[in-house]
């Protein structure tokens, strides 16, 4: 039986929670906790795929995958480090806002691109950098609806067995136990070899820990004898 979170949507248009997340109403008072402070709905549960949540609702979503939706210029955004664990956001332009990299959820039409603009969003004509095709996740979804075979939300590379369950499978989890023990032993021995018997670093990992160098050998045979104190000749 295939996990419902691992199934693609209709026509392979992303995970089943993507459309509900894009269509949800955010930053409205919570219907349950509306009388409480900070009851604004700015969360979305990828497992329940219901309405937007407020911070008080999270108690009912323990161990669920929840992302926080934010606002920028009256548009909904999500941080890249949160959403890229679950979907491939390539071809979507990212922005830096308050020192955090974000992507917009839905399209932002721009009928008149700025002067000198050579690249625009394929769906809403928003001005973009040359290396991107879409201005938002919704616009990428629109591009996939057109049947572009090069577009996907499926994560690639070292992912777990279910690409839409989130997270990624570590290298150790896919490595046999015997090999992992061997690698761990080798790493331990490598770490011990860095240090000399007196506890000083050998200088391989950082210049700040280099121990004093050994002074050069001094050949006393070839060294000139120091002249004695000169004396005047007696009268």
């Amino acid at each position: 039986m295939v996990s419902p979170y691992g199934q693609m949507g209709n026509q392979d248009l992303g995970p089943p929670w993507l459309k509900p997340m894009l269509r949800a109403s955010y930053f409205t008072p919570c219907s349950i906790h509306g009388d409480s402070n900070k009851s604004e709905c700015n969360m979305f549960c990828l497992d329940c795929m219901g309405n937007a949540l407020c911070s008080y609702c999270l108690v009912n979503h323990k161990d669920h995958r929840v992302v926080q939706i934010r606002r920028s210029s009256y548009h909904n955004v999500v941080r890249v480090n949160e959403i890229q664990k679950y979907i491939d956001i390539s071809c979507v332009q990212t922005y830096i806002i308050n020192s955090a990299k974000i992507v917009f959820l839905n399209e932002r039409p721009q009928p008149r691109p700025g002067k000198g603009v050579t690249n625009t969003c394929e769906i809403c004509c928003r001005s973009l950098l040359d290396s991107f095709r879409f201005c938002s996740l919704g616009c990428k979804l629109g591009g996939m609806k057109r049947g572009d075979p090069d577009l996907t939300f499926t994560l690639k590379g070292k992912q777990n067995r279910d690409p839409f369950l989130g997270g990624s499978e570590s290298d150790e989890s896919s490595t046999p136990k015997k090999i992992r023990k061997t690698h761990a032993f080798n790493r331990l021995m490598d770490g011990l070899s860095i240090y000399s018997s007196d506890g000083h670093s050998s200088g391989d990992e950082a210049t700040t820990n280099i121990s004093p160098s050994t002074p050069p050998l001094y050949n006393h045979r070839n060294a000139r004898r120091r002249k004695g104190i000169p004396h005047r000749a007696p009268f």
Side-chain angles (χ1 to χ4, degrees), residues 19-69:
K19 289 182 180 179
M21 184 186 73
L22 299 180
R23 296 172 180 172
S25 297
Y26 301 101
F27 303 99
T28 58
C30 179
S31 59
I32 302 175
H33 308 99
D35 296 333
S36 304
N37 294 328
K38 298 181 180 180
S39 62
E40 203 173 45
C41 295
N42 63 342
M43 308 278 187
F44 187 81
C45 180
L46 307 185
D47 295 303
C48 297
M49 298 181 287
N51 297 323
L53 311 172
C54 74
S55 57
Y56 298 100
C57 296
L58 295 181
V59 67
N60 298 320
H61 298 267
K62 292 182 179 179
D63 301 324
H64 288 189
R65 299 167 300 159
V66 176
V67 294
Q68 182 177 356
I69 307 302

Side-chain angles (χ1 to χ4, degrees), residues 111-151:
R112 295 182 179 180
K115 293 183 178 180
V117 174
T118 59
N119 185 39
T120 59
C121 176
E122 297 179 8
I123 302 299
C124 69
C125 298
R126 186 87 183 180
S127 300
L128 299 177
L129 298 176
D130 292 340
S131 56
F132 299 100
R133 297 175 57 184
F134 307 101
C135 72
S136 64
L137 299 177
C139 286
K140 179 176 179 178
L141 181 61
M144 294 171 65
K145 290 180 179 179
R146 294 181 176 181
D148 190 331
D150 296 329
L151 297 176

Side-chain angles (χ1 to χ4, degrees), residues 169-177 179-181 183-184 187:
E169 187 177 33
S170 64
D171 293 337
E172 290 197 357
S173 63
S174 59
T175 305
K177 184 181 295 185
I179 297 178
R180 293 206 304 268
K181 288 184 178 180
H183 289 175
R187 289 197 299 267

Side-chain angles (χ1 to χ4, degrees), residues 46 66-70 78-86:
L46 307 185
V66 176
V67 294
Q68 182 177 356
I69 307 302
R70 305 167 193 271
V78 63
R79 285 186 174 179
V80 168
N81 61 359
E82 291 186 46
I83 197 63
Q84 70 179 358
K85 295 184 294 185
Y86 309 117

Side-chain angles (χ1 to χ4, degrees), residues 185-203:
F185 178 77
N186 291 338
R187 289 197 299 267
L188 176 62
M189 297 305 297
D190 291 341
L192 292 176
S193 65
I194 294 177
Y195 295 93
S196 58
S197 59
D198 61 355
H200 291 290
S201 168
S202 65

